[in-house]
Amino acid sequence: MTATTVTAPVTASGRVPPLAGVRQTFTMAWRSLVAVKHNPLELVDYSITPIMFVFLFTYVLGGQMAGSPDAYLKYALPGIIVQNTLFMTMYTAMALNTDLTKGVFDRLRSLPIARSAPLIGRITADLAKHVWAMLLMIGLGLALGFRITGGFGGFLLGALLLVVFAAAVSWSAVLIGMLAGDAEKVQAFAFTLIFPITFTSSAFVVVDTMPGWLQAWSDVNPVTHLSDAFRGLLLGGAVAEPVLWSLVWAAGIALVFYPLAMRAYRAKA
């Protein structure tokens, strides 16, 4: 990568014009995506892990949870995709943390580009990888017998909802990546936080089977709302309430973590 690929005129005040900043953001996103071509192993976590989750949940837990793998796949696949989406936001945190510790951002900030371009470009590229993993899991689910009875429109709306929610959660990942001492700490925090939230939601089990006190938490758990919304959009049914609550949670997460993440980013970069 050379400086000329992302440079642009700056204003008299030294600020990059908005349109130039947008172009630079997409250039940085493309930089992250092109890196996969030279290092295909970067796609392993976005490909092998989702496939493993689908097979393990379907064939190890399916008979016990729903009487048969096929029946459980219909219920659990949307929840598995939601869980995987949340886990993958932590890859953003680890990548940013690695770029910081290796001095990548020190080199980028020496270029006459918008300071936010490397950060938002990374998030944009990672959202594209989210879509790849989701399509991979949907394709595998279809091969195993899952059917999208909510129609193509329901699928598109569900995919868009996942991307919006992942974009919001990515700002919390940015904050974690900026504050953590190293990538290992980022990973440890991810498992500590995301595992309890996903497994105490409706992602994998019907909430009514939980103890009363746990149902109370699950009913307000954002992963429950997102799982119910995505499941309903894929399979058809009443989705207005879970979709609305998913968007409310996404907006709330973004409003809280975006300013905190940008403050930490400016302090670091």
Side-chain angles (χ1 to χ4, degrees):
M1 182 190 72
T2 64
T4 56
T5 55
V6 292
T7 55
V10 296
T11 64
S13 63
R15 298 178 64 88
V16 175
L19 289 179
V22 172
R23 289 195 298 270
Q24 293 159 7
T25 295
F26 281 106
T27 298
M28 299 307 297
W30 182 246
R31 164 187 171 269
S32 295
L33 292 174
V34 167
V36 176
K37 177 181 178 181
H38 302 289
N39 184 19
L41 289 178
E42 284 193 19
L43 270 184
V44 169
D45 284 338
Y46 291 90
S47 303
I48 302 301
T49 302
I51 292 174
M52 179 186 67
F53 273 137
V54 172
F55 275 113
L56 287 178
F57 276 93
T58 300
Y59 293 106
V60 175
L61 300 178
Q64 176 68 34
M65 301 297 292
S68 71
D70 291 341
Y72 188 60
L73 178 67
K74 182 177 180 179
Y75 179 86
L77 182 62
I80 298 170
I81 295 175
V82 167
Q83 182 205 46
N84 188 69
T85 299
L86 295 177
F87 268 116
M88 288 197 304
T89 61
M90 290 301 110
Y91 296 161
T92 301
M94 288 187 285
L96 289 173
N97 184 274
T98 300
D99 283 348
L100 280 172
T101 55
K102 290 187 176 181
V104 173
F105 278 112
D106 289 335
R107 294 193 294 271
L108 291 175
R109 71 177 178 177
S110 67
L111 301 175
I113 63 174
R115 293 189 68 184
S116 62
L119 174 60
I120 301 179
R122 161 66 69 175
I123 292 174
T124 302
D126 287 349
L127 289 177
K129 296 174 184 177
H130 283 292
V131 174
W132 158 259
M134 180 197 64
L135 293 176
L136 182 66
M137 297 174 81
I138 288 288
L140 178 58
L142 292 175
L144 297 177
F146 183 85
R147 293 296 176 262
I148 301 175
T149 54
F152 187 65
F155 166 72
L156 289 180
L157 289 175
L160 178 60
L161 181 63
L162 276 188
V163 170
V164 169
F165 202 92
V169 175
S170 292
W171 290 110
S172 67
V174 170
L175 181 62
I176 294 169
M178 293 294 157
L179 298 181
D182 51 56
E184 287 74 16
K185 291 180 181 177
V186 173
Q187 190 174 23
F189 185 86
F191 276 90
T192 302
L193 178 65
I194 295 177
F195 256 118
I197 291 178
T198 53
F199 279 94
T200 57
S201 71
S202 65
F204 308 120
V205 298
V206 178
V207 173
D208 292 343
T209 63
M210 299 179 182
W213 61 271
L214 193 54
Q215 289 184 39
W217 155 247
S218 183
D219 287 339
V220 299
N221 188 334
V223 181
T224 292
H225 298 305
L226 184 60
S227 298
D228 290 347
F230 190 51
R231 185 179 295 114
L233 288 168
L234 291 183
L235 301 179
V239 295
E241 184 175 351
V243 168
L244 176 61
W245 276 112
S246 296
L247 294 175
V248 168
W249 269 105
I253 292 169
L255 286 172
V256 170
F257 286 101
Y258 173 77
L260 295 175
M262 290 304 296
R263 181 183 300 177
Y265 172 69
R266 292 189 181 103
K268 292 280 188 178

